[in-house]
Structures are given as C-alpha cells and as structure tokens.
Amino acid sequence: MRFHSLLLWPLAARAVNIISSNDDGWAEVNIRALFESLGDAGHSVVVSAPAENQSGTGSRQKTPAALTEPCEFDSCPTGSPAVGFNASEPRLGYVNSYPVTSIKHGIESRAPEFFDGPPDLAVTGPNVGNNIGLAVYFSGTAGAATYAAHAAGIPAIAFSGATGSQTSWNTSRPHYSDVYAELATNLTNQVVAAGKPYLPQDIWLNVNFGSVSDSECTDPEDFSFVLSRIHVAVPLITPDDVTTCGSSRLPSEIEVSLASGCHASVSVGVASSKNDANATMQGVVLKKLSNFLTCLS
Ligand SMILES: *[C@@H]1O[C@H](CO)[C@@H](O)[C@H](O)[C@H]1NC(C)=O
Ligand SMILES: *[C@@H]1O[C@H](CO)[C@@H](O)[C@H](O)[C@H]1NC(C)=O
Ligand SMILES: *[C@@H]1O[C@H](CO)[C@@H](O)[C@H](O)[C@H]1NC(C)=O
Ligand SMILES: *[C@@H]1O[C@H](CO)[C@@H](O)[C@H](O)[C@H]1NC(C)=O
Ligand SMILES: *[C@@H]1O[C@H](CO)[C@@H](O)[C@H](O)[C@H]1NC(C)=O
C-alpha cells in the first residue's frame, strides 16, 4: 500500500479556490464529476465552460453570443443569454464561446462573486479523450489551461482521460468519469499540499489518464502517476530532461500511454509555447510530487 502524506494534513489547510473549464462543454459529465469530487475534498470550485462542444478549438477567443440553439444536451434553451449559470447551483456557469473565452470570463467575472481574490488554481477537463503530444496545440482543454497559466498567472492543470465519449451530466454517471475525477482530485491535492507557489510562473501540467475498463484499471488505486514529457524528444537536439528513474530522458506521453499497466502521465509544459519545460522546471515539479510519482516499469 502506498503512503499518502496528504491524509495527515488538516482539510482546511489544503482547501483552495479553483476555476474549472473544459472544451467538451459545461454539461459534459466529466467536468461535473470533477466539480463534485473537488468539492467533496473541501475546495471551493467555480465552473466556467463552453455552452457547446468546443473540442479542438485550441486557444481561440471570441465575444460570447446569445444561444441560437439549445446548449449541449439541452442544458439551456435556445435564446438563453451569452453567459449564464445554473439557477440552483450558480457555481456551474456556461459561456457561449470558446474554452479560452470561457475560462477568462470565469476568472474575471465569476470568480470574484465566490472567491476573496483571484483563483488559486485552474483545472481543465477531464477532457474526453487524451491530449497527447501535438494534440496540445489544438486542444481547447489545453488552450484554457495555458491561458490561465500564461495570461492570467494562475497555476493550471489540464486533465484528459482515454476512455469515454461525450456524455450528458444528467444520465447515470459512467464509472470512468468517477475514476478520472478522483485521480484528478488526488493530483490537485498533492500539488496544493506541496505549497505555494503551486507551480512556477507560466508553467502548466498536462495530465493524461490511461483507459479504465471493467477488467483492468478499474479503480483509482490501480493507477500510478509518471513524470513525462509532452513532445517526443529529438535525439542529439532536445536538451536533457530532469534526471529521475535513472535517466535524463523522461518518457513521452505517448510512451506512457502505450506502456502496459495503469498510468497517468504528468508533463511539465511552458504555457506560452505549449512546449516542454526545461529540466529545471521539471525538477521543481518532480520535487513537489516526489512521493506521488513512480517510475515507468
Ligand atoms: C465535438 O466536436 C468535435 C470536434 O468538432 C467532434 O469531433 C465531436 O464529434 C463532437 N462531439 C459530439 C458529441 O458531437
Ligand atoms: C442544475 O443544478 C441542479 C441542482 O444541482 C441539477 O439538478 C440540474 O440538473 C442542473 N442543471 C444543469 C443544466 O446543470
Ligand atoms: C437532462 O436534462 C434535459 C434538460 O432539462 C432534459 O431535456 C433531458 O430529458 C434530461 N435527461 C435525462 C436523462 O434526464
Ligand atoms: C486517491 O485518493 C484516494 C483517497 O484518498 C485513495 O484511495 C487512492 O488510492 C488515491 N489514488 C492515487 C492514485 O493516489
Ligand atoms: C528554464 O526555464 C525557465 C522558464 O521557463 C527559465 O527562467 C530558466 O532560465 C530556464 N533555465 C535554463 C537552465 O535554461
């Protein structure tokens, strides 16, 4: 059994204010599962995510517009205002625009209604489907996280999960969605427990969870977290990564996703470029998460 130093921390000491977004839409079940899971862990969470599926819209922005069709899964009617929220749970908000515009609106306009200051942390996803390697350039889930880390100066973590398809918030919740929410909450708690600054300036984490099935990788406890790099290294050109697990080359996200076993890859990225951070920055994260990360065996 793994030792969780977290469990020794008083809950209040690690409860933070979190802004949450995604690109699959505010009514997609994964973002709702994470909202509940982070809330159960004591955090104060505000969701500000697209009204519609905005998968693959990267870092695009546009002024939100009134709805000319229903929000996804009929989560709001045609003619609804450009931005809105759930009347019975106002922390759940939509923005009829792209993921970056959604999280920007959340940080600037929604967060001040609930928090004493700017959000402590931004989380995006869990994205439906992995965002590995070059996909980070196109993913709106990565776009929203990198906007938060770069433009808004808020430490940000993007989560993505291999299993599932876009599913409405009000159908019976798929098991994988709960597993990804719990894994994302665990990592978030670990980042918070390691203290401020939660991440260096302009750094974000890209976290990809492997498949969940009925027979394999069924429970959160089955998963181990592995430090990785986003992009495949070019021999003789890409500088060394931080030295860990006996090597100065981290496995790429694609390598981790192809390895046997149940893994979550954790990559350290530069938000302004969506490229890998250097060994120094990787080392900061490695140190923070040292009792959480394992070697790819
Ligand atoms: C969401 O948008 C993406 C990109 O356009 C598309 O591939 C996907 O099928 C859409 N999802 C649904 C449920 O329509
Ligand atoms: C709004 O929140 C209520 C209470 O949590 C929930 O029953 C309902 O399904 C939610 N609707 C949407 C669109 O989020
Ligand atoms: C989910 O909520 C929408 C909007 O209220 C409703 O049209 C739909 O029937 C609900 N789906 C289920 C499975 O309850
Ligand atoms: C996540 O936390 C739960 C509850 O603290 C624990 O049971 C589980 O093993 C943790 N998972 C990982 C991967 O650390
Ligand atoms: C590593 O990157 C950070 C910012 O991303 C930069 O400030 C630092 O100078 C870099 N260190 C080295 C050794 O290149």
Side-chain angles (χ1 to χ4, degrees), residues 26-27 32 72-76 85-90 92 169-170:
W26 80 306
R32 301 302 183 98
E72 74 174 340
F73 309 123
D74 285 329
S75 57
C76 83
F85 54 83
N86 181 325
S88 39
E89 180 44 278
L92 297 172
W169 87 102
N170 63 348

PDB file of all heavy atoms in Angstrom, residues 26-27 32 72-76 85-90 92 169-170, ligand 2:
ATOM      1  N   TRP A  26     -19.896  22.591 -20.739  1.00  0.00           N
ATOM      2  CA  TRP A  26     -20.200  22.675 -19.306  1.00  0.00           C
ATOM      3  C   TRP A  26     -21.138  21.566 -18.832  1.00  0.00           C
ATOM      4  O   TRP A  26     -21.188  21.260 -17.656  1.00  0.00           O
ATOM      5  CB  TRP A  26     -20.827  24.044 -18.980  1.00  0.00           C
ATOM      6  CG  TRP A  26     -22.290  24.177 -19.295  1.00  0.00           C
ATOM      7  CD1 TRP A  26     -22.896  23.930 -20.491  1.00  0.00           C
ATOM      8  CD2 TRP A  26     -23.316  24.569 -18.388  1.00  0.00           C
ATOM      9  NE1 TRP A  26     -24.245  24.166 -20.393  1.00  0.00           N
ATOM     10  CE2 TRP A  26     -24.542  24.563 -19.108  1.00  0.00           C
ATOM     11  CE3 TRP A  26     -23.334  24.954 -17.045  1.00  0.00           C
ATOM     12  CZ2 TRP A  26     -25.757  24.897 -18.536  1.00  0.00           C
ATOM     13  CZ3 TRP A  26     -24.560  25.293 -16.472  1.00  0.00           C
ATOM     14  CH2 TRP A  26     -25.750  25.258 -17.211  1.00  0.00           C
ATOM     15  N   ALA A  27     -21.894  20.979 -19.782  1.00  0.00           N
ATOM     16  CA  ALA A  27     -22.878  19.958 -19.410  1.00  0.00           C
ATOM     17  C   ALA A  27     -22.323  18.546 -19.580  1.00  0.00           C
ATOM     18  O   ALA A  27     -23.053  17.568 -19.396  1.00  0.00           O
ATOM     19  CB  ALA A  27     -24.147  20.138 -20.231  1.00  0.00           C
ATOM     20  N   ARG A  32     -18.543  17.790 -14.494  1.00  0.00           N
ATOM     21  CA  ARG A  32     -19.452  17.763 -13.345  1.00  0.00           C
ATOM     22  C   ARG A  32     -18.937  16.801 -12.266  1.00  0.00           C
ATOM     23  O   ARG A  32     -19.055  17.075 -11.069  1.00  0.00           O
ATOM     24  CB  ARG A  32     -20.863  17.358 -13.787  1.00  0.00           C
ATOM     25  CG  ARG A  32     -21.482  18.289 -14.840  1.00  0.00           C
ATOM     26  CD  ARG A  32     -21.555  19.725 -14.353  1.00  0.00           C
ATOM     27  NE  ARG A  32     -22.197  20.599 -15.328  1.00  0.00           N
ATOM     28  CZ  ARG A  32     -23.487  20.968 -15.293  1.00  0.00           C
ATOM     29  NH1 ARG A  32     -24.275  20.552 -14.348  1.00  0.00           N
ATOM     30  NH2 ARG A  32     -23.968  21.774 -16.232  1.00  0.00           N
ATOM     31  N   GLU A  72     -25.580  22.372 -25.204  1.00  0.00           N
ATOM     32  CA  GLU A  72     -25.419  20.934 -25.445  1.00  0.00           C
ATOM     33  C   GLU A  72     -26.295  20.125 -24.479  1.00  0.00           C
ATOM     34  O   GLU A  72     -26.511  20.518 -23.331  1.00  0.00           O
ATOM     35  CB  GLU A  72     -23.951  20.517 -25.336  1.00  0.00           C
ATOM     36  CG  GLU A  72     -23.401  20.472 -23.948  1.00  0.00           C
ATOM     37  CD  GLU A  72     -21.973  19.908 -23.881  1.00  0.00           C
ATOM     38  OE1 GLU A  72     -21.505  19.212 -24.799  1.00  0.00           O
ATOM     39  OE2 GLU A  72     -21.330  20.189 -22.860  1.00  0.00           O
ATOM     40  N   PHE A  73     -26.769  19.013 -24.952  1.00  0.00           N
ATOM     41  CA  PHE A  73     -27.635  18.101 -24.184  1.00  0.00           C
ATOM     42  C   PHE A  73     -28.854  18.838 -23.609  1.00  0.00           C
ATOM     43  O   PHE A  73     -29.331  18.497 -22.529  1.00  0.00           O
ATOM     44  CB  PHE A  73     -26.861  17.417 -23.047  1.00  0.00           C
ATOM     45  CG  PHE A  73     -25.575  16.749 -23.462  1.00  0.00           C
ATOM     46  CD1 PHE A  73     -24.362  17.104 -22.869  1.00  0.00           C
ATOM     47  CD2 PHE A  73     -25.561  15.759 -24.440  1.00  0.00           C
ATOM     48  CE1 PHE A  73     -23.179  16.491 -23.230  1.00  0.00           C
ATOM     49  CE2 PHE A  73     -24.372  15.139 -24.816  1.00  0.00           C
ATOM     50  CZ  PHE A  73     -23.177  15.505 -24.213  1.00  0.00           C
ATOM     51  N   ASP A  74     -29.312  19.867 -24.311  1.00  0.00           N
ATOM     52  CA  ASP A  74     -30.478  20.643 -23.845  1.00  0.00           C
ATOM     53  C   ASP A  74     -30.280  21.223 -22.445  1.00  0.00           C
ATOM     54  O   ASP A  74     -31.240  21.370 -21.677  1.00  0.00           O
ATOM     55  CB  ASP A  74     -31.753  19.782 -23.870  1.00  0.00           C
ATOM     56  CG  ASP A  74     -32.273  19.590 -25.282  1.00  0.00           C
ATOM     57  OD1 ASP A  74     -32.083  20.514 -26.109  1.00  0.00           O
ATOM     58  OD2 ASP A  74     -32.832  18.520 -25.557  1.00  0.00           O
ATOM     59  N   SER A  75     -29.046  21.574 -22.132  1.00  0.00           N
ATOM     60  CA  SER A  75     -28.764  22.091 -20.783  1.00  0.00           C
ATOM     61  C   SER A  75     -29.169  23.554 -20.622  1.00  0.00           C
ATOM     62  O   SER A  75     -29.148  24.070 -19.505  1.00  0.00           O
ATOM     63  CB  SER A  75     -27.281  21.895 -20.444  1.00  0.00           C
ATOM     64  OG  SER A  75     -26.454  22.520 -21.408  1.00  0.00           O
ATOM     65  N   CYS A  76     -29.511  24.235 -21.730  1.00  0.00           N
ATOM     66  CA  CYS A  76     -30.160  25.549 -21.643  1.00  0.00           C
ATOM     67  C   CYS A  76     -30.952  25.722 -22.932  1.00  0.00           C
ATOM     68  O   CYS A  76     -30.606  25.117 -23.954  1.00  0.00           O
ATOM     69  CB  CYS A  76     -29.141  26.686 -21.439  1.00  0.00           C
ATOM     70  SG  CYS A  76     -28.353  27.300 -22.942  1.00  0.00           S
ATOM     71  N   PHE A  85     -25.762  30.762 -15.835  1.00  0.00           N
ATOM     72  CA  PHE A  85     -25.392  29.747 -14.845  1.00  0.00           C
ATOM     73  C   PHE A  85     -26.636  28.997 -14.414  1.00  0.00           C
ATOM     74  O   PHE A  85     -27.770  29.408 -14.696  1.00  0.00           O
ATOM     75  CB  PHE A  85     -24.665  30.374 -13.658  1.00  0.00           C
ATOM     76  CG  PHE A  85     -25.418  31.511 -13.006  1.00  0.00           C
ATOM     77  CD1 PHE A  85     -26.414  31.254 -12.066  1.00  0.00           C
ATOM     78  CD2 PHE A  85     -25.140  32.837 -13.346  1.00  0.00           C
ATOM     79  CE1 PHE A  85     -27.110  32.294 -11.469  1.00  0.00           C
ATOM     80  CE2 PHE A  85     -25.838  33.883 -12.749  1.00  0.00           C
ATOM     81  CZ  PHE A  85     -26.831  33.616 -11.803  1.00  0.00           C
ATOM     82  N   ASN A  86     -26.413  27.902 -13.739  1.00  0.00           N
ATOM     83  CA  ASN A  86     -27.474  27.059 -13.223  1.00  0.00           C
ATOM     84  C   ASN A  86     -28.100  27.756 -12.011  1.00  0.00           C
ATOM     85  O   ASN A  86     -27.413  28.000 -11.024  1.00  0.00           O
ATOM     86  CB  ASN A  86     -26.856  25.702 -12.843  1.00  0.00           C
ATOM     87  CG  ASN A  86     -27.879  24.719 -12.322  1.00  0.00           C
ATOM     88  OD1 ASN A  86     -28.833  25.096 -11.643  1.00  0.00           O
ATOM     89  ND2 ASN A  86     -27.671  23.449 -12.643  1.00  0.00           N
ATOM     90  N   ALA A  87     -29.403  28.050 -12.113  1.00  0.00           N
ATOM     91  CA  ALA A  87     -30.066  28.834 -11.062  1.00  0.00           C
ATOM     92  C   ALA A  87     -29.993  28.140  -9.698  1.00  0.00           C
ATOM     93  O   ALA A  87     -29.890  28.803  -8.672  1.00  0.00           O
ATOM     94  CB  ALA A  87     -31.518  29.096 -11.442  1.00  0.00           C
ATOM     95  N   SER A  88     -30.030  26.798  -9.681  1.00  0.00           N
ATOM     96  CA  SER A  88     -29.988  26.128  -8.377  1.00  0.00           C
ATOM     97  C   SER A  88     -28.563  25.802  -7.934  1.00  0.00           C
ATOM     98  O   SER A  88     -28.340  25.432  -6.785  1.00  0.00           O
ATOM     99  CB  SER A  88     -30.877  24.882  -8.357  1.00  0.00           C
ATOM    100  OG  SER A  88     -30.806  24.186  -9.556  1.00  0.00           O
ATOM    101  N   GLU A  89     -27.588  25.926  -8.815  1.00  0.00           N
ATOM    102  CA  GLU A  89     -26.174  25.750  -8.439  1.00  0.00           C
ATOM    103  C   GLU A  89     -25.362  26.780  -9.213  1.00  0.00           C
ATOM    104  O   GLU A  89     -24.762  26.483 -10.255  1.00  0.00           O
ATOM    105  CB  GLU A  89     -25.716  24.307  -8.724  1.00  0.00           C
ATOM    106  CG  GLU A  89     -24.271  24.010  -8.371  1.00  0.00           C
ATOM    107  CD  GLU A  89     -23.831  24.580  -7.025  1.00  0.00           C
ATOM    108  OE1 GLU A  89     -23.489  25.798  -6.965  1.00  0.00           O
ATOM    109  OE2 GLU A  89     -23.804  23.825  -6.049  1.00  0.00           O
ATOM    110  N   PRO A  90     -25.358  28.040  -8.729  1.00  0.00           N
ATOM    111  CA  PRO A  90     -24.759  29.147  -9.505  1.00  0.00           C
ATOM    112  C   PRO A  90     -23.254  28.996  -9.763  1.00  0.00           C
ATOM    113  O   PRO A  90     -22.708  29.725 -10.598  1.00  0.00           O
ATOM    114  CB  PRO A  90     -25.020  30.377  -8.630  1.00  0.00           C
ATOM    115  CG  PRO A  90     -26.052  29.962  -7.631  1.00  0.00           C
ATOM    116  CD  PRO A  90     -25.954  28.487  -7.473  1.00  0.00           C
ATOM    117  N   LEU A  92     -22.061  26.633 -11.269  1.00  0.00           N
ATOM    118  CA  LEU A  92     -21.961  25.981 -12.580  1.00  0.00           C
ATOM    119  C   LEU A  92     -22.366  26.982 -13.647  1.00  0.00           C
ATOM    120  O   LEU A  92     -23.556  27.291 -13.798  1.00  0.00           O
ATOM    121  CB  LEU A  92     -22.895  24.759 -12.621  1.00  0.00           C
ATOM    122  CG  LEU A  92     -22.596  23.629 -11.639  1.00  0.00           C
ATOM    123  CD1 LEU A  92     -23.718  22.594 -11.676  1.00  0.00           C
ATOM    124  CD2 LEU A  92     -21.255  22.970 -11.973  1.00  0.00           C
ATOM    125  N   TRP A 169     -24.578  15.362 -18.430  1.00  0.00           N
ATOM    126  CA  TRP A 169     -24.433  15.400 -16.980  1.00  0.00           C
ATOM    127  C   TRP A 169     -25.557  14.680 -16.246  1.00  0.00           C
ATOM    128  O   TRP A 169     -25.385  14.230 -15.131  1.00  0.00           O
ATOM    129  CB  TRP A 169     -24.366  16.865 -16.525  1.00  0.00           C
ATOM    130  CG  TRP A 169     -25.719  17.486 -16.274  1.00  0.00           C
ATOM    131  CD1 TRP A 169     -26.294  17.690 -15.050  1.00  0.00           C
ATOM    132  CD2 TRP A 169     -26.681  17.943 -17.234  1.00  0.00           C
ATOM    133  NE1 TRP A 169     -27.544  18.250 -15.197  1.00  0.00           N
ATOM    134  CE2 TRP A 169     -27.807  18.421 -16.528  1.00  0.00           C
ATOM    135  CE3 TRP A 169     -26.710  18.004 -18.639  1.00  0.00           C
ATOM    136  CZ2 TRP A 169     -28.937  18.939 -17.162  1.00  0.00           C
ATOM    137  CZ3 TRP A 169     -27.838  18.522 -19.267  1.00  0.00           C
ATOM    138  CH2 TRP A 169     -28.928  18.975 -18.535  1.00  0.00           C
ATOM    139  N   ASN A 170     -26.753  14.583 -16.908  1.00  0.00           N
ATOM    140  CA  ASN A 170     -27.901  14.049 -16.177  1.00  0.00           C
ATOM    141  C   ASN A 170     -28.302  12.638 -16.580  1.00  0.00           C
ATOM    142  O   ASN A 170     -29.420  12.231 -16.350  1.00  0.00           O
ATOM    143  CB  ASN A 170     -29.082  15.023 -16.243  1.00  0.00           C
ATOM    144  CG  ASN A 170     -29.578  15.235 -17.675  1.00  0.00           C
ATOM    145  OD1 ASN A 170     -28.919  14.841 -18.620  1.00  0.00           O
ATOM    146  ND2 ASN A 170     -30.750  15.845 -17.806  1.00  0.00           N
TER     147      ASN A 170
HETATM  148  C1  LIG B   2     -28.589  22.473 -12.198  1.00  0.00           C
HETATM  149  O1  LIG B   2     -28.363  22.112 -10.847  1.00  0.00           O
HETATM  150  C2  LIG B   2     -29.357  21.246 -10.307  1.00  0.00           C
HETATM  151  C3  LIG B   2     -29.016  21.078  -8.836  1.00  0.00           C
HETATM  152  O2  LIG B   2     -27.694  20.637  -8.655  1.00  0.00           O
HETATM  153  C4  LIG B   2     -29.369  19.937 -11.091  1.00  0.00           C
HETATM  154  O3  LIG B   2     -30.398  19.120 -10.595  1.00  0.00           O
HETATM  155  C5  LIG B   2     -29.608  20.232 -12.571  1.00  0.00           C
HETATM  156  O4  LIG B   2     -29.517  19.036 -13.309  1.00  0.00           O
HETATM  157  C6  LIG B   2     -28.572  21.201 -13.076  1.00  0.00           C
HETATM  158  N1  LIG B   2     -28.773  21.531 -14.471  1.00  0.00           N
HETATM  159  C7  LIG B   2     -27.759  21.896 -15.265  1.00  0.00           C
HETATM  160  C8  LIG B   2     -28.109  22.183 -16.677  1.00  0.00           C
HETATM  161  O5  LIG B   2     -26.627  21.994 -14.852  1.00  0.00           O
END
